[in-house]
Amino acid sequence: MNWDDLKLIDAAARMRSLSGAARALNLSQPQLSRRLKSFEDRVGARLFDRTPTGLKPTEAGLRLIPLAADMRKNADAASRVLPDLSGSALKVVRVAVDEVRARILTDKFADLNALLEGVELEIISSHLHANHQTRGIELQIRNCLPETDTLVFRKVGDVAYGVYASKNYVSGHPAALREQRYKECAWLGFAPDDLWYPAQVRWMEDKHIVRPKMRTNTMTTLMNMTAAGSGLALLPVFMGNAHPDLVALTGALPELTNPEHIIVHRDVRREPAVRKAIDAIARVYKDMAARLTGTDEPVSIQAAE
């Protein structure tokens, strides 16, 4: 059974004639008559008696007509609500990011804002995996993949890291320019927590770098410490290359070039505002791809004289 069938019953009951019902439904009378008879044959009951004064509901018809009328009223109510639904749809999209991804989004804020076309974006600072089940966050950007099939992801680009130091530190510590940098230079590191830059921590361990005496869990603090001349550090190349006081010692490291994914709940992905936000963020990553991987322009790598 479908609503189109019940429309016939409702119109026939209200108009009390086949011709009136046909006009109400914008059908020809023969077409309506055939469809009504076909429906009666399917349910195995006659719903109307054809009398000289018009259609008269049978006992079976009297049971079905009120239900068809209720469906019409609900359909009419839905039609009245439809024009307002776009106004009540999700307009604010919250995206959880660490400070590196926040920097990517804010560096291209004007472009991002133009692409969002009226959708408001709230950037929530967090290193923690977002709980998408509570719907407190719509999107999250991270390099690891979701752990549950209720979440889906879209790769939007790559971010590369390299070794940097301040100009003053390099001038006072020539070893920074050579392979001896791993054993003879002071290094800045990351807080010992798997949530904060685990790939970078493993890389430093593989290089047998002495445990850094200055550590942090935010990349912006690490960059500031490096610029102040406190030692060498791993930084995103798009941040390090843009800093006037920093020197690139290695360039982008392939082993520390990681994919970036937008994570979203399957159900939330259907929201038009969420889809628009995902597309806008993906476009920003695409436009910044060369900067994020260090291939936008040759970077002068400081070398030993």
Side-chain angles (χ1 to χ4, degrees), residues 56-69:
K56 181 179 179 181
T58 64
E59 184 177 346
L62 290 173
R63 294 178 61 188
L64 187 58
I65 288 169
L67 301 178

Side-chain angles (χ1 to χ4, degrees), residues 33-284:
S33 181
R34 286 195 301 271
R35 288 179 55 184
L36 181 58
K37 184 177 186 306
S38 175
F39 179 73
E40 289 177 325
D41 290 342
R42 287 203 308 276
V43 299
R46 194 176 70 260
L47 302 176
F48 296 95
D49 287 327
R50 282 69 167 171
T51 71
T53 58
L55 297 177
K56 181 179 179 181
T58 64
E59 184 177 346
L62 290 173
R63 294 178 61 188
L64 187 58
I65 288 169
L67 301 178
D70 287 343
M71 291 189 68
R72 171 176 49 81
K73 292 174 183 176
N74 288 332
D76 290 344
S79 296
R80 291 190 295 270
V81 168
L82 285 176
D84 298 327
L85 290 182
S86 60
S88 60
L90 179 68
K91 293 296 185 182
V92 177
V93 177
R94 292 154 296 190
V95 53
V97 292
D98 65 4
E99 70 280 359
V100 174
R101 281 98 182 195
R103 175 73 179 269
I104 294 171
L105 299 183
T106 54
D107 272 7
K108 299 286 281 185
F109 172 76
D111 295 342
L112 182 62
N113 190 50
L115 292 167
L116 289 171
E117 297 179 352
V119 175
E120 299 176 17
L121 197 68
E122 289 186 357
I123 299 176
I124 309 299
S125 179
S126 175
H127 286 115
L128 302 174
H129 297 324
N131 185 354
H132 293 264
Q133 302 297 331
T134 64
R135 308 299 169 86
I137 291 291
E138 282 76 43
L139 304 176
Q140 185 172 33
I141 305 176
R142 64 191 200 199
N143 57 39
C144 54
L145 298 179
E147 297 83 13
T148 170
D149 58 7
T150 62
L151 303 177
V152 294
F153 70 93
R154 174 177 173 180
K155 181 183 176 182
V156 291
D158 297 283
V159 172
Y161 285 73
V163 179
Y164 291 84
S166 71
K167 295 175 182 178
N168 288 337
Y169 186 90
V170 171
S171 65
H173 300 81
L177 307 175
R178 300 184 292 272
E179 285 297 307
Q180 285 85 349
R181 68 174 70 96
Y182 302 110
K183 297 188 180 301
E184 298 182 16
C185 291
W187 280 75
L188 308 172
F190 305 90
D193 191 314
D194 289 341
L195 291 175
W196 291 294
Y197 309 107
Q200 286 78 359
V201 171
R202 288 193 296 271
W203 185 89
M204 294 177 68
E205 291 173 348
D206 291 343
K207 292 293 185 181
H208 303 292
I209 295 170
V210 176
R211 179 180 171 88
K213 295 183 178 179
M214 293 184 67
R215 299 180 296 277
T216 180
N217 65 351
T218 69
M219 196 61 68
T220 50
T221 301
L222 184 64
M223 184 171 67
N224 293 337
M225 290 161 56
T226 309
S230 301
L232 280 59
L234 287 169
L235 297 172
V237 295
F238 82 96
M239 294 171 62
N241 292 345
H243 199 292
D245 297 326
L246 294 180
V247 173
L249 301 177
T250 62
L253 297 167
E255 64 270 29
L256 288 179
T257 299
N258 302 314
E260 294 281 286
H261 304 104
I262 298 179
I263 312 297
V264 60
H265 194 281
R266 288 183 181 275
D267 295 339
V268 175
R269 181 180 54 172
R270 299 190 182 98
E271 283 279 358
V274 170
R275 294 200 304 270
K276 184 175 289 186
I278 291 173
D279 290 341
I281 293 171
R283 177 61 182 269
V284 164

